[in-house]
Amino acid sequence: MAEQFSVKFFEENFLQYIERNKDVFTKSHAMNAYYRSIVGTLINDHLNKNGEIVRRIRNLEEAYNNIKNS
């Protein structure tokens, strides 16, 4: 298991979400649904460290692009 909120963590979760929802969503629809869910959670999370939120969103964005282009 990858370090929580790392790029690898998000890549693994994207792939799992795509696989679990392959009968319902296309790859891009599944990725967008997962992405929106995570961003919504991060925005509503009451973290005191804005830098941590930015780091997580950057990692999510990088993972999204890595899986999208794979």
Side-chain angles (χ1 to χ4, degrees):
M1 186 76 155
E3 178 186 342
Q4 194 170 20
F5 305 116
S6 67
V7 172
K8 184 72 176 162
F9 170 85
F10 285 123
E11 287 175 345
E12 290 172 0
N13 282 298
F14 270 121
L15 293 173
Q16 288 175 7
Y17 195 85
I18 292 165
E19 180 63 26
R20 277 185 283 184
N21 293 286
K22 66 183 176 186
D23 296 334
V24 181
F25 295 129
T26 64
K27 177 182 174 181
S28 69
H29 283 111
M31 290 180 66
N32 290 336
Y34 178 78
Y35 190 94
R36 285 190 307 268
S37 172
I38 296 301
V39 168
T41 300
L42 291 174
I43 289 170
N44 289 316
D45 193 354
H46 295 288
L47 293 174
N48 291 327
K49 300 177 184 172
N50 288 335
E52 179 63 18
I53 293 172
V54 171
R55 182 185 73 82
R56 291 178 186 185
I57 291 175
R58 283 184 180 150
N59 287 344
L60 176 66
E61 181 71 18
E62 184 176 338
Y64 179 92
N65 288 319
N66 290 347
I67 298 302
K68 178 181 172 187
N69 297 322
S70 67

